[in-house]
Amino acid sequence: EADIYQTPRYLVIGTGKKITLECSQTMGHDKMYWYQQDPGMELHLIHYSYGVNSTEKGDLSSESTVSRIRTEHFPLTLESARPSHTSQYLCASSEPGASGTYEQYFGPGTRLTVT
Amino acid sequence: DQQVKQNSPSLSVQEGRISILNCDYTNSMFDYFLWYKKYPAEGPTFLISISSIKDKNEDGRFTVFLNKSAKHLSLHIVPSQPGDSAVYFCAASRSYNTDKLIFGTGTRLQVFP
């Protein structure tokens, strides 16, 4: 059973505000990810991390930033929120499976609305 | 350009019947494929996967078929149950041991009594 948590679950905030979306996992996974998903669209990888002090940008360009100071914690920050940032943000972590492949475990997501 | 395509946004199936969800991909470098299921207000959960060295993988009621020449995979659910009603995402990766996934847009499955 995967244990990965995201807070807040829902956030409505005004333009220009700074926000941090929290993601924590209790499984000790080294690899963590942030995805962005608009309604009816695919999940897009925006950030990932292979361990403490490791962060990389994903395939979709994002104005957000991430940090990985502790293994279990991978927060995402938007310095100045804009309506174009309105989306669902999903955090995930992974570990190698028995056959060497990776299974990603997802958190419940944060639905962000910027007004 | 979308590399993983799920052309049917929705599918409605009667309980007990077979559900077939389809997925096409364009990148011939993809060699590992996964299906995820997502309920409303929850994150996706892993369902089943298949590597390119196989053409079929089965797990209980769920079977995934891979046709490499057609760049097509499908998920079969037999028999379908109301609890299977969810959005199903197909995902692919470029290498067997990489964790960077490319997702499709999802197919919403509704199983009715």
Side-chain angles (χ1 to χ4, degrees):
Chain A
E1 186 68 26
D3 293 314
I4 182 162
Y5 308 98
Q6 290 185 244
T7 57
R9 294 290 308 276
Y10 303 91
L11 179 61
V12 180
I13 201 162
T15 297
K17 300 289 187 184
K18 178 180 179 179
I19 58 170
T20 296
L21 308 185
E22 302 287 350
C23 176
S24 295
Q25 49 98 2
T26 59
M27 298 167 284
H29 291 170
D30 285 327
K31 299 190 176 187
M32 296 189 73
Y33 318 82
W34 276 102
Y35 289 87
Q36 184 176 341
Q37 185 193 16
D38 293 328
M41 302 297 289
E42 61 268 49
L43 282 71
H44 286 289
L45 181 68
I46 52 174
H47 298 282
Y48 60 99
S49 167
Y50 286 163
V52 171
N53 294 325
S54 155
T55 61
E56 301 287 343
K57 289 192 178 294
D59 299 327
L60 181 68
S61 175
S62 174
E63 294 169 345
S64 58
T65 59
V66 292
S67 61
R68 190 86 183 276
I69 299 173
R70 304 196 314 267
T71 297
E72 63 272 20
H73 196 212
F74 191 40
L76 180 147
T77 299
L78 276 165
E79 290 292 333
S80 179
R82 295 208 299 267
S84 61
H85 296 140
T86 295
S87 189
Q88 183 175 39
Y89 293 84
L90 290 156
C91 180
S93 68
S94 75
E95 63 176 359
S99 54
T101 57
Y102 288 87
E103 178 183 331
Q104 294 189 17
Y105 299 92
F106 283 83
T110 294
R111 185 164 297 282
L112 172 66
T113 302
V114 184
T115 60
Chain B
D1 185 31
Q2 232 179 317
Q3 299 185 68
V4 177
K5 300 178 183 179
Q6 294 178 256
N7 292 319
S8 298
S10 64
L11 176 67
S12 188
V13 172
Q14 188 172 29
E15 180 179 7
R17 305 280 219 164
I18 184 172
S19 294
I20 300 176
L21 296 96
N22 294 304
C23 178
D24 297 295
Y25 60 96
T26 58
N27 191 335
S28 58
M29 297 299 291
F30 289 148
D31 60 8
Y32 183 56
F33 306 89
L34 309 90
W35 285 93
Y36 279 81
K37 179 170 72 173
K38 185 179 185 300
Y39 293 118
E42 295 183 15
T45 55
F46 171 75
L47 195 56
I48 193 169
S49 64
I50 188 168
S51 73
S52 59
I53 61 174
K54 294 184 175 182
D55 53 18
K56 176 183 174 181
N57 189 26
E58 192 171 354
D59 184 2
R61 296 185 297 112
F62 302 90
T63 303
V64 56
F65 295 92
L66 176 62
N67 182 334
K68 290 186 289 295
S69 60
K71 295 192 181 67
H72 176 82
L73 64 155
S74 61
L75 174 68
H76 292 211
I77 306 173
V78 183
S80 301
Q81 299 173 354
D84 296 329
S85 297
V87 178
Y88 289 79
F89 290 95
C90 172
S93 69
R94 293 188 187 89
S95 174
Y96 187 71
N97 62 352
T98 189
D99 49 340
K100 295 184 73 175
L101 300 178
I102 308 297
F103 282 85
T105 54
T107 296
R108 182 177 301 278
L109 172 66
Q110 184 177 7
V111 180
F112 59 93

